[in-house]
Amino acid sequence: MSERVAHAVLARVEDGAFSHKAGTRGGIMVNGDGAQGKTETICEALACFQEEWLALNNYANPEAMPGTRDLVAPVAYVRCPVRATPISTCQRILDFYGEDYKGMRLEDLVRTVKTAVVEHATKALVIDDITRLKLHREADQDVLDLIREMMSMPVTLILVGVGIPTSGLLREGRRDPKTQEWIYEPVKDIGRSPNDHAASQHERRFQVVDLGPFRYATPAEMEAWMAHLLRLEGELRLLTNAAGMLTQGDMPEYLFNRTKGVVGILEKLVQHGCRRAMEDKSEYLTKDLLNQFTVTPDDMPDLDADSGEQPNIPRHDPTPKKKPTGRITVFDDDGPAAVGSAG
């Protein structure tokens, strides 16, 4: 599923980057629940685009004027503030470019953002956590208008969020069972006939794609889950050989039941397990070891719960940490005083 999302993002960005026509560029919205790996998927895809674009243009801005400073940033990434305003959104973007905006009014900020995008040859602008916008607030509606204005710039907008189709950014939609695309019915005006021109500008300008969790029902889904575990397994830095640590026996099914296929929960579970394996010097992940703790929302403090970014973590009651077993000897001043069993 992540490959499909990455392909859709790259297609939109490349179409915009290689187009020399003036006008609005189509954007893309990536929708999914919290901790599904949306940001990682997009950043990995755009990293490939950036490297290819820089190599194609000899690592320089092809539109830069001779003698001017040439700072190239084909891809820009920012996160939407929790309580966004047009000013704070512009400031986030300018922070990425390292621009000074002290004392600027909103008009100056917008103009500086547009200038920075052009001068840095930015072809893709990612705004993460876009569903932090709550459209019952006037300031958030102003941010949405600002984003719409940005679409007139020579840059492809990529908006990432949780529950986009029901957030108000677009009209209420339904998913086509064949294409898996979101479909929005025509808006009806106050008259009796449908008025297609009354549709939201955003729903016309943005393609919406979904990134969901892994599934574990069909052979193809199991194979995809195993491939992800195998790649994660290769990144472990325990002292023992990690081959088969996450992929052999019933470990794949156990990990799926513990995480429900959500990559963010899986990452935290394995992270906790590696820490415990280093502490007890076993240097190996087992089900007994992973059962000793659970993942909690506190493990993901950067996700805003009010915006629905916190994932639904499967319930798990951790087992007590195992005590060392074997015979022990207690010593006093005169020598061995007692012999017993530790258990």
Side-chain angles (χ1 to χ4, degrees):
M1 185 173 291
S2 61
E3 292 180 357
R4 180 179 61 84
V5 171
H7 180 271
V9 170
L10 281 176
R12 280 281 167 138
V13 173
E14 289 175 352
D15 287 347
F18 290 104
S19 174
H20 298 286
K21 293 177 59 179
T24 301
R25 280 167 167 72
I28 187 167
M29 292 183 175
V30 180
N31 173 64
D33 292 335
Q36 300 283 20
K38 300 183 296 297
T39 301
E40 289 82 357
T41 299
I42 293 168
C43 288
E44 185 173 350
L46 292 179
C48 296
F49 164 77
Q50 175 168 290
E51 184 58 32
E52 292 176 358
W53 181 261
L54 289 173
L56 181 64
N57 294 282
N58 296 318
Y59 294 85
N61 183 355
E63 301 176 359
M65 296 289 293
T68 61
R69 189 178 184 187
D70 191 6
L71 297 176
V72 188
V75 178
Y77 172 88
V78 297
R79 297 185 69 184
C80 185
V82 175
R83 294 188 64 87
T85 65
I87 289 179
S88 64
T89 303
C90 286
Q91 290 174 342
R92 283 286 178 95
I93 297 173
L94 294 178
D95 281 337
F96 174 86
Y97 291 112
E99 297 282 351
D100 182 19
Y101 51 76
K102 184 177 181 180
M104 287 188 182
R105 299 172 303 171
L106 177 59
E107 296 82 359
D108 301 324
L109 289 169
V110 173
R111 183 173 60 253
T112 306
V113 166
K114 292 181 177 180
T115 302
V117 167
V118 173
E119 291 186 347
H120 290 79
T122 301
K123 301 302 177 184
L125 172 58
V126 182
I127 303 181
D128 205 349
D129 302 324
I130 191 63
T131 43
R132 289 179 175 179
L133 296 180
K134 307 302 179 185
L135 298 185
H136 63 276
R137 297 196 294 250
E138 183 178 356
D140 290 16
Q141 294 179 20
D142 293 339
V143 173
L144 202 60
D145 292 336
L146 173 65
I147 292 173
R148 185 181 297 117
E149 185 176 353
M150 288 180 182
M151 298 190 75
S152 63
M153 298 186 295
V155 64
T156 299
L157 286 182
I158 303 166
L159 308 183
V160 187
V162 176
I164 286 177
T166 57
S167 66
L169 295 173
L170 301 167
R171 281 188 290 114
E172 194 75 20
R174 63 178 177 84
R175 191 195 304 276
D176 188 302
K178 294 183 178 180
T179 65
Q180 295 299 310
E181 298 289 338
W182 286 93
I183 299 176
Y184 301 91
E185 300 298 332
V187 176
K188 294 185 177 181
D189 59 12
I190 57 176
R192 296 182 179 180
S193 60
N195 180 7
D196 291 336
H197 296 288
S200 163
Q201 287 182 310
H202 275 83
E203 70 199 49
R204 289 173 174 234
R205 295 176 175 179
F206 283 95
Q207 174 189 3
V208 182
V209 294
D210 280 307
L211 181 60
F214 282 94
R215 294 178 175 84
Y216 201 73
T218 68
E221 292 170 348
M222 294 179 183
E223 184 179 353
W225 178 245
M226 288 287 288
H228 182 74
L229 293 180
L230 186 63
R231 183 173 180 179
L232 180 60
E233 194 176 77
E235 296 176 354
L236 299 181
R237 292 297 178 264
L238 298 175
L239 294 180
T240 56
N241 183 9
M245 192 177 296
L246 304 180
T247 54
Q248 290 184 353
D250 59 353
M251 182 63 88
E253 184 174 358
Y254 167 81
L255 292 173
F256 183 83
N257 291 332
R258 286 291 309 269
T259 65
K260 297 305 179 185
V262 179
V263 295
I265 302 177
L266 174 66
E267 176 187 334
K268 294 301 179 181
L269 182 66
V270 172
Q271 187 180 67
H272 284 316
C274 289
R275 171 62 60 184
R276 184 65 56 85
M278 289 186 289
E279 291 174 350
D280 64 16
K281 296 181 173 53
S282 65
E283 299 289 336
Y284 199 85
L285 298 180
T286 64
K287 290 189 295 183
D288 288 339
L289 184 144
L290 295 176
N291 279 332
Q292 296 176 18
F293 52 85
T294 186
V295 179
T296 68
D298 293 338
D299 294 318
M300 307 174 187
D302 59 327
L303 300 183
D304 181 40
D306 294 336
S307 300
E309 296 169 11
Q310 288 282 2
N312 184 19
I313 302 175
R315 178 181 174 82
H316 174 74
D317 296 323
T319 58
K321 184 177 180 180
K322 288 189 175 182
K323 297 180 180 180
T325 59
R327 298 179 64 81
I328 61 173
T329 303
V330 179
F331 291 85
D332 56 19
D333 294 339
D334 298 326
V339 178
S341 174

